[in-house]
Amino acid sequence: MNALSNEQAAPLAAAVTGGNFGVVMRYEFALHALGPNIVAGLTVYPFAQAIQVLTGYRDFVAHAPEELTAWIVLRHAPPLPFLPTDVHGAKVVVVALAYCGDAAHAEAALAPLPRWATRTARMSARCHTSTGRRRSTRCSRPARGITGNPTTSPS
């Protein structure tokens, strides 16, 4: 990162005046401890149910605990092994999530997901974050059950 004096920054400020964009002059962020376990995964819904899923998502995130991060992706389904082959290439709505609180509370936090619509598939995994100078994450491969192991479950 380079720091500029007011004299050095004047030409930059003049260049962006009147433009419809911004220049980041400084960016600070804080790291927060995670883990040692998080639960992360995807729930996939048919695109035909997008209105129900988006409405359910809106209500879900409005009341979700702070430990839960969720986002929506509308896309063509990739050929992932946990998706039925007839879904590959079809339009889908994907809810991606990460629960970074106590993994024992993850199932209750994620319980509203299946009620929005009829899901095509779900895959989730409990991931272990290691501590130390370098942070890494290891996730289990898809198996059965949301508590303890990843899940792969059609509809």
Side-chain angles (χ1 to χ4, degrees):
M1 173 187 268
N2 294 328
L4 302 176
S5 68
N6 288 341
E7 293 79 26
Q8 293 170 315
L12 178 60
V16 299
T17 302
N20 190 14
F21 61 92
V23 175
V24 176
M25 300 299 286
R26 176 175 286 178
Y27 184 81
E28 293 182 24
F29 60 93
L31 299 178
H32 300 276
L34 293 179
N37 293 306
I38 64 171
V39 174
L42 303 172
T43 302
V44 181
Y45 298 93
F47 188 79
Q49 297 181 25
I51 292 173
Q52 297 97 304
V53 175
L54 291 168
T55 302
Y57 175 81
R58 178 197 62 204
D59 298 339
F60 175 66
V61 296
H63 303 293
E66 187 174 317
E67 296 85 2
L68 181 68
T69 298
W71 62 99
I72 292 251
V73 179
L74 286 80
R75 62 166 298 161
H76 291 274
L80 295 173
F82 72 94
L83 291 175
T85 55
D86 62 327
V87 175
H88 296 176
K91 292 180 182 178
V92 292
V93 181
V94 180
V95 179
L97 57 92
Y99 185 82
C100 299
D102 183 344
H105 301 351
E107 188 169 1
L110 304 177
L113 287 170
R115 293 192 295 241
W116 300 342
T118 304
R119 69 179 182 233
T120 299
R122 182 179 92 195
M123 189 282 299
S124 64
R126 183 173 291 187
C127 304
H128 179 76
T129 59
S130 61
T131 57
R133 292 185 70 213
R134 187 169 172 208
R135 200 173 266 294
S136 65
T137 302
R138 293 184 306 278
C139 293
S140 307
R141 292 276 184 226
R144 305 298 284 150
I146 193 167
T147 54
N149 291 324
T151 16
T152 302
S153 57
S155 316

